[in-house]
Amino acid sequence: MIELISMGNRIQPLPVRDGLNPSRVRFPNDAPAMTAREFVAHLITTQRYVHPDDNDAALDKRFADNEVVDQRGTPFQPDQLLKSGQDIWFYRVPAPELEVPHEIGIIHEDAELLVVDKPPFLATFPRGSHITESVLVRMRRQTGNQALSPAHRLDRLTSGVLVLTKRPEIRGAYQELFARREVDKVYEAIADVNPAITPGTVWEHRMEKERGEFKTRIVAGPVNARTEVNAVTLIDATEHTTLEAMHGPLGPQARYELHPLTGRTHQLRLHMFLAGSPILGDPVYPDVLPLEAEDFGVPMHLLSRRLSFIDPLSGEPREFVSKI
C-alpha cells in the first residue's frame, strides 16, 4: 500500500510552487524492486485525475530539474533503486478543472491572519479533483504568500468565514484552537418553513461518516453531534423571488440560525434533513445528485456567518462576520 505522509509544520525539501505543495510518498516495504523513475511514473499514471500533458517528457524533466528528491533534498537519479520505506518528494501536475466563477472576499487581514468569505463550490484546500479550484491555492497565488494555510475547514459547498494563517510558526496555535473546539460558530441555512423548528430547538445524535462515503449516517451510541437553533426568520418576498430564480418554484422559506456545539462532517445538513427541512440546494440530503448535475449558479444555502474566539497569541477576543 502506498502511503501519503502529512508533514504538519515540518520543513519540506521542495518549496511550495505556484500555490501547490509538493507530494511526499513512501516507497512501500512490500513493493518489488523499482527505480525512482518507475515509481514516480507509477504514481502519476495511477492518479484518478491526470493532466494530459503529464507524459514521459514531463517526467524526465522533473528528474533533469532535480525536482524528485529525498527528505534531505538530495535529488534522485532516474535509475536509482529505491529502498523500502524511503520517502520520495516530487511535484504533481493538477488535471484541468472547471473554474468556479465566484470571487473570494476579504473580511480581515493583519500580520497573522487572512480571513476570507469562501464562496460555494470552492474547496478549502486541494483534495480529490479540486486542486487549483481551492481557496488555499487561489489565495496563495493572489497574495503571493506561499505560507498561507487554513486554520480549519469548510465543506466545498458551504460558504462564509474561513480563517487562514499567514506564517508557519503560528499555524499550529490556530489549528489547535479549532481542533479543541474553542471557536464559537454560527451558521445560517435557508430551508422550507417548518413549525417544528423553533428557537431553542436542540438536536442530538451520534453521527459517523466513512472515508469514501457521500453521506453521514446516524448510528447507535453516545451523542457526538449537537446543534442548537438560535433563531428562525421568514424569507421576505424579494429574497424569495431571487431564490426561485435559482431553484424554481418554492414553498415558503426561512433562514435558520444554527449553533453547532460539535463539529461532525455534514452535521448541520443532516440535522436539518432529519428535522424535515433539508437545506435549499443540498445535493446530498435527501438524495445524492450526480456530479454532472452540479450548477455553479445554484448553490447550497449554508453560510458560516460568524466565528469568535480568544486569540491564542494575544489573548484578545476576536470575531469575524461574513459579508455575504
Side-chain angles (χ1 to χ4, degrees):
M1 178 179 179
I2 294 173
E3 184 179 0
L4 294 174
I5 310 296
S6 172
M7 284 298 291
N9 291 329
R10 292 173 59 190
I11 296 174
Q12 300 172 155
L14 289 173
V16 176
R17 187 173 69 181
D18 196 24
L20 294 165
N21 290 71
S23 291
R24 178 193 185 195
V25 185
R26 180 158 293 167
F27 187 62
N29 292 327
D30 58 352
M34 195 176 297
T35 66
R37 190 186 188 284
E38 289 171 336
F39 185 51
V40 177
H42 168 74
L43 295 174
I44 292 169
T45 57
T46 56
Q47 287 177 176
R48 186 174 180 183
Y49 306 98
V50 181
H51 196 289
D53 294 335
D54 202 0
N55 50 28
D56 283 346
L59 176 58
D60 290 334
K61 188 174 188 304
R62 285 181 175 90
F63 283 95
D65 292 343
N66 294 326
E67 292 180 347
V68 182
V69 304
D70 64 15
Q71 180 58 52
R72 294 170 296 180
T74 303
F76 283 100
Q77 297 305 309
D79 59 354
Q80 182 176 340
L81 286 175
L82 296 177
K83 299 175 182 178
S84 295
Q86 192 167 19
D87 290 338
I88 189 166
W89 292 76
F90 70 104
Y91 292 108
R92 296 183 187 268
V93 179
E97 300 175 45
L98 286 176
E99 181 179 353
V100 176
H102 303 306
E103 297 298 319
I104 302 171
I106 305 296
I107 297 173
H108 170 85
E109 183 173 7
D110 56 37
E112 285 79 34
L113 301 179
L114 176 64
V115 185
V116 303
D117 254 331
K118 187 186 93 63
F121 302 107
L122 271 186
T124 297
F125 44 74
R127 186 176 184 181
S129 62
H130 309 292
I131 306 300
T132 58
E133 288 305 288
S134 62
V135 172
L136 177 59
V137 173
R138 274 202 188 182
M139 294 312 296
R140 280 177 172 176
R141 291 176 174 180
Q142 180 175 319
T143 64
N145 182 355
Q146 304 299 317
L148 282 177
S149 183
H152 61 115
R153 175 180 173 270
L154 287 179
D155 283 346
R156 179 173 168 266
L157 299 182
T158 302
S159 310
V161 183
L162 182 67
V163 178
L164 298 95
T165 59
K166 297 176 70 174
R167 297 184 287 121
E169 59 268 27
I170 66 168
R171 182 182 307 158
Y174 288 95
Q175 290 177 340
E176 289 170 11
L177 190 74
F178 281 88
R180 294 194 302 265
R181 297 195 175 96
E182 294 177 3
V183 177
D184 194 63
K185 305 175 183 180
V186 174
Y187 286 75
E188 292 176 359
I190 295 177
D192 289 342
V193 169
N194 187 338
I197 306 176
T198 59
T201 296
V202 177
W203 297 311
E204 294 180 318
H205 294 88
R206 181 166 188 82
M207 296 184 180
E208 292 184 2
K209 184 178 184 294
E210 298 295 332
R211 187 179 181 87
E213 290 184 343
F214 285 107
K215 289 188 173 185
T216 295
R217 297 174 288 111
I218 300 297
V219 298
V223 168
N224 66 356
R226 190 167 186 263
T227 302
E228 294 180 341
V229 180
N230 287 348
V232 181
T233 308
L234 295 180
I235 297 297
D236 64 27
T238 300
E239 186 173 3
H240 188 94
T241 299
T242 300
L243 293 173
E244 287 196 323
M246 296 180 190
H247 299 276
L250 297 169
Q253 300 292 297
R255 177 172 284 104
Y256 297 88
E257 185 178 290
L258 307 175
H259 184 204
L261 302 177
T262 54
R264 309 304 298 183
T265 300
H266 292 182
Q267 176 177 318
L268 301 181
R269 297 165 67 175
L270 184 50
H271 269 156
M272 287 294 292
F273 166 63
L274 293 172
S277 290
I279 296 173
L280 182 62
D282 191 332
V284 174
Y285 304 95
D287 299 315
V288 178
L289 300 180
L291 186 60
E292 55 268 23
E294 187 170 85
D295 183 342
F296 292 150
V298 185
M300 179 180 73
H301 295 271
L302 178 62
L303 172 72
S304 173
R305 173 61 72 188
R306 184 173 71 248
L307 294 180
S308 55
F309 53 86
I310 301 300
D311 192 285
L313 303 184
S314 69
E316 298 295 320
R318 308 290 295 270
E319 181 177 85
F320 303 110
V321 181
S322 172
K323 299 177 182 179
I324 296 176

